[in-house]
Amino acid sequence: MSLSGVDWGVIALYLVFVLGIGIAAARRAKSGDDFFLAGRAIPAWVCGLAFISANLGAQEVIGMGASGAKYGIATAHFYWIGAIPAMVFIGVFMMPFYYGSRARSGPEYLRLRFDEKTRALNALSFAVMTIISSGVSMYALAKLIQALHVFDAPFAHLGLPQAWIFHGAILTSAIVVLVYIYAGGLRGAIYNEVLQFFLIVAGFAPLVWLGLKQVGGWQGLQASLGPTYTHAWAGMGHAATNRLGVDWFGLSMGLGFVLSFGYWCTDFLVVQRAMAANSMSAARRTPLIAAGVKMFVPFLVILPGLIAIALTSAPDKAGAASHPVAVAGAIQQHDRGVIPIKLDAATGRPMLDARGQPQLDYDLATPNLLLRYFPTGMLGVGLTALLASFMSGMAGNVTAFNTVFTYDIYQAYIRPKADDRHYLRVGRYTTAVGIAASVATAYMASQFNNIMDLMQLVLAFVNAPVFATFLLGMFWKRTTGHGAFIGLATGISVAALHHGLTLPLDNLVGIKGGWIAVTHTYPSEMAQNFWTAIWAWSAGFAVTVAVSLVTKPKPQEDLVGLVYSMTPKVQHTHGAWYMRPVTLGVIMIVGVVVLDIVFR
């Protein structure tokens, strides 16, 4: 396809604004606090939108669309069970510890609460996770550029192989993000994330409306796909009777508790946005404001996947629904898109599962809908929305990475007594290093046909065990540094062991598991991820408790402001209802319960 001048103009205008915001923010990034925490001077509503936008990256926009096509409306559990309760919890209970301790990062809180070794282990594991996550965003962007074929003619004119388009897209995205993060730091990232949030809404709301109109609305989707796709709780009594391949316990414990709380309550990528707020009250309201938006995001990012699979599984002339893989192959032969067969980037041949069947490329569900329905001009807006999501995801992870590396690795263990300007300079250099490392991980992501499967696996390894550490550290004063460190290391090790001994159905041994031996097969990659998280958290929690009971805890006077029972309670009982965190939290929980009932 080729973009019109209007489409190119919309994309170019967006890039100008992104770079301009970064350069403007650079004028105020004069110290380490300015660069890494935006001077703790950002209003609550801005932090709230940045909190949600930092998570609304490629993993969500592309990955949730892919998961909608693969798993159906049950993907909304990642929001209504797997996000909102945890966002309420961090706003009401945990932000007073983060903000009040004046810690500059999540690992630094662990140093204040426990010791250096616990901080170091969390900092290293978190740094690896952010690099992988940023690389996934790069991969998704490059995949989009390839799918659009907008650079085919220029590359052909220069005599360059078409495969190089993928590499060129990764390099270009890396340079753009490098410029505005290197210049403006967290402040530049936050204000760009607010811009990107509104662009994503503007780009995807019309797509959902046009797609639903094409398939006959929600009733049309229900008629085309059936209850396993359109009812969030259908078949959750047993793992074999629903598309996620997990029962209600695995869903509630693995996603609703371990992965959800492990991400939203401990992941410095999102916590950093709240810590940039201009007051304790604003910091507590930041995740609650974000939760109010988050509960409606499924209608923007999951529905395109459902629409795409409904079109891919279109009924034949006799009225029977065809198998999606068969239909996708036929569609691909006629170059009509929707959800195509996944092709190997090196050979251009279809990628096969363990049964020798071609895999659907679910990650292209949302991009292909844009190409199908958006006219000139509007296509530029839609593509800009996708670009915004990729930039947001990359920038969020890179800013978290440069903060953790600079303060929790470099300052702590390499050069602890340098001046603030030195650490500011190191933070900028670390931005470049982080982006370079992200480029390498972008190629690893190509092994998955749904990038959300990859990201949930990474979260199971990193966030699940660290959530046990944070939970015990904040709410049990008897927890010791030795217990936290050994428990965290055990949780990560158990996650690796479980992954190495299990394999999702119809997958090959390797990056998706079974690299030790295949002792159990899960119905889906997501089921494996949930149970990896459950085992990792449970092992980390149990070992932390056991070791803490036989080791010496910190003196109680050292725990003030770090442990719930030792910290004066923050009261926000005055002012309008929307200024009170507890009131906002109750409203969010009621809202998500209503949505669960409606789509049960």
Side-chain angles (χ1 to χ4, degrees):
M1 65 157 292
S2 60
L3 299 180
S4 70
V6 175
D7 296 320
W8 283 114
V10 171
I11 295 172
L13 185 63
Y14 163 70
L15 293 176
V16 168
F17 268 96
V18 164
L19 296 175
I21 289 172
I23 293 170
R27 299 176 183 175
R28 300 185 63 179
K30 303 300 183 184
S31 68
D33 196 51
D34 290 334
F35 187 80
F36 297 113
L37 289 174
R40 296 200 177 199
I42 307 297
W45 73 270
V46 174
C47 288
L49 291 181
F51 192 96
I52 192 71
S53 185
N55 176 254
L56 199 58
Q59 298 98 311
E60 185 144 359
V61 173
I62 298 297
M64 287 300 180
S67 292
K70 187 173 183 179
Y71 302 119
I73 197 63
T75 305
H77 289 310
F78 283 94
Y79 298 83
W80 301 336
I81 290 179
I84 307 302
M87 295 167 80
V88 171
F89 187 80
I90 185 177
V92 174
F93 294 106
M94 294 181 72
M95 276 316 302
F97 301 121
Y98 285 127
Y99 198 88
S101 69
R102 308 299 290 181
R104 297 167 298 184
S105 67
E108 187 168 55
Y109 170 82
L110 293 181
R111 179 187 68 80
L112 296 171
R113 174 60 182 89
F114 296 119
D115 51 30
E116 283 289 352
K117 62 181 181 294
T118 307
R119 171 207 213 176
L121 180 57
N122 178 231
L124 288 171
S125 61
F126 177 77
V128 171
M129 182 185 73
T130 55
I131 292 302
I132 293 175
S133 184
S134 180
V136 167
S137 292
M138 287 186 179
Y139 160 74
L141 174 59
K143 192 177 181 68
L144 170 68
I145 297 300
Q146 272 193 320
L148 299 180
H149 301 291
V150 292
F151 291 118
D152 287 8
F155 271 66
H157 180 72
L158 294 172
L160 298 175
Q162 296 295 300
W164 284 23
I165 295 175
F166 183 86
H167 312 312
I170 286 179
L171 181 61
T172 302
S173 64
I175 291 172
V176 172
V177 173
L178 173 63
V179 169
Y180 80 77
I181 298 300
Y182 187 93
L186 181 61
R187 189 186 305 274
I190 283 178
Y191 281 104
N192 264 314
E193 285 160 1
V194 173
L195 168 66
Q196 288 154 352
F197 169 77
F198 287 112
L199 280 172
I200 290 168
V201 173
F204 286 95
L207 177 65
V208 172
W209 182 79
L210 290 170
L212 284 175
K213 186 178 178 181
Q214 176 71 24
V215 298
W218 181 251
Q219 291 75 20
L221 279 178
Q222 290 178 309
S224 299
L225 299 176
T228 61
Y229 270 107
T230 57
H231 289 268
W233 289 97
M236 284 296 172
H238 193 279
T241 56
N242 66 83
R243 304 197 66 81
L244 277 175
V246 62
D247 61 15
W248 67 269
F249 177 80
L251 177 74
S252 301
M253 183 67 179
L255 175 62
F257 181 62
V258 178
L259 285 172
S260 170
F261 282 73
Y263 177 78
W264 293 103
C265 296
T266 70
D267 196 313
F268 187 61
L269 164 65
V270 290
V271 173
Q272 186 182 32
R273 272 70 191 154
M275 291 174 67
N278 57 15
S279 68
M280 173 68 82
S281 174
R284 295 184 73 193
R285 284 182 284 118
T286 290
L288 300 171
I289 292 169
V293 177
K294 183 78 171 177
M295 71 174 69
F296 298 106
V297 169
F299 303 114
L300 284 179
V301 298
I302 295 176
L303 281 183
L306 280 166
I307 294 165
I309 198 66
L311 294 171
T312 303
S313 304
D316 58 26
K317 292 181 180 180
S322 302
H323 191 278
V325 171
V327 176
I331 289 173
Q332 186 166 282
Q333 290 176 1
H334 293 87
D335 197 27
R336 292 197 291 113
V338 191
I339 304 180
I341 299 296
K342 186 174 179 65
L343 302 178
D344 186 279
T347 65
R349 294 185 176 183
M351 293 183 67
L352 308 178
D353 61 22
R355 296 180 300 172
Q357 296 296 314
Q359 302 180 44
L360 285 179
D361 200 344
Y362 293 109
D363 288 334
L364 289 179
T366 298
N368 280 354
L369 276 189
L370 286 174
L371 299 180
R372 175 178 285 256
Y373 292 123
F374 274 11
T376 297
M378 199 61 217
L379 180 58
V381 174
L383 296 180
T384 301
L386 284 175
L387 290 175
S389 74
F390 304 142
M391 298 296 181
S392 178
M394 281 186 279
N397 283 285
V398 170
T399 54
F401 172 79
N402 65 28
T403 302
V404 167
F405 179 86
T406 302
Y407 285 143
D408 296 299
I409 297 175
Y410 183 84
Q411 184 184 35
Y413 306 108
I414 299 175
R415 191 169 175 182
K417 296 182 179 180
D419 59 27
D420 186 70
R421 292 183 63 85
H422 176 78
Y423 295 125
L424 173 61
R425 191 163 56 251
V426 169
R428 287 196 161 114
Y429 295 158
T430 302
T431 300
V433 172
I435 288 178
S438 300
V439 170
T441 62
Y443 291 92
M444 181 184 71
S446 64
Q447 299 302 308
F448 287 74
N449 72 341
N450 179 355
I451 57 177
M452 275 304 296
D453 289 336
L454 170 60
M455 285 313 305
Q456 294 304 314
L457 175 62
V458 173
L459 293 178
F461 268 76
V462 179
N463 284 12
V466 83
F467 172 51
T469 306
F470 272 93
L471 187 67
L472 287 168
M474 287 185 172
F475 296 97
W476 189 39
K477 62 184 179 182
R478 185 66 179 78
T479 314
T480 68
H482 294 310
F485 176 78
I486 296 173
L488 182 57
T490 300
I492 295 172
S493 300
V494 167
L497 182 64
H498 180 267
H499 185 257
L501 292 173
T502 63
L503 189 69
L505 187 67
D506 296 331
N507 280 280
L508 300 174
V509 170
I511 195 171
K512 293 190 179 183
W515 39 273
I516 298 176
V518 181
T519 61
H520 181 74
T521 300
Y522 284 104
S524 68
E525 290 96 328
M526 204 62 75
Q528 181 196 41
N529 295 339
F530 290 173
W531 281 101
T532 298
I534 291 171
W535 281 105
W537 181 86
S538 301
F541 188 93
V543 170
T544 300
V545 171
V547 175
S548 293
L549 290 174
V550 296
T551 52
K552 184 179 179 180
K554 272 190 171 185
Q556 292 194 16
E557 56 268 23
D558 292 346
L559 302 180
V560 176
L562 300 172
V563 178
Y564 186 77
S565 62
M566 301 296 297
T567 302
K569 304 304 178 285
V570 179
Q571 300 294 331
H572 294 290
T573 57
H574 302 292
W577 62 268
Y578 53 82
M579 298 293 288
R580 299 196 293 269
V582 174
T583 303
L584 287 175
V586 171
I587 293 171
M588 299 308 137
I589 295 299
V590 170
V592 82
V593 168
V594 170
L595 287 171
D596 263 314
I597 292 172
V598 170
F599 288 93
R600 68 185 185 279

